[in-house]
Amino acid sequence: MARTTMDLAFISAERVKFDNVDLVKLYLGDEPDGEKDLGISLLSMQVSEDVRDEVWNACKGLDVLETARVTVEIERGSKNAGKFIVLHVESAKPAHAAKPATPQGTQQQPKPTGAQPDAAKA
């Protein structure tokens, strides 16, 4: 089996729980091919049972249409088509960077210390 990581638009996550069934499915969007898809190409992917809760909780922090980095395993599906099984999801937004440095022209000058002559007497 092959693994790959893709950046896709997050659309929705769906969880179905009843009796002994617990399934999580992701709906993601990719760029359209212009022939079969216009606007957004919709993809639905099952989540591996080993990471269901982890992926579900990661999706709670995603906004609709936010770019998500999705790691999948590709299994052989029907008619030799690839079947994507989600292993990991995270936001593709860069982590919050450190506070940017103050531009040089706006640095505050240090205040002088000690006794200073009174400007009115000079």
Side-chain angles (χ1 to χ4, degrees), residues 14-24 52-53 56:
E14 178 181 81
R15 189 165 203 165
V16 176
K17 275 183 160 183
F18 62 91
D19 298 332
N20 292 329
V21 175
D22 185 7
L23 300 172
V24 174
R52 253 186 234 130
D53 292 328
W56 180 254

Side-chain angles (χ1 to χ4, degrees), residues 10-46:
F10 173 76
I11 296 173
S12 180
E14 178 181 81
R15 189 165 203 165
V16 176
K17 275 183 160 183
F18 62 91
D19 298 332
N20 292 329
V21 175
D22 185 7
L23 300 172
V24 174
K25 189 177 236 184
L26 295 187
Y27 296 93
L28 303 154
D30 196 8
E31 294 179 14
D33 63 9
E35 294 176 22
K36 295 180 287 181
D37 303 308
L38 299 173
I40 196 165
S41 178
L42 297 176
L43 304 168
S44 69
M45 300 180 188
Q46 291 288 90

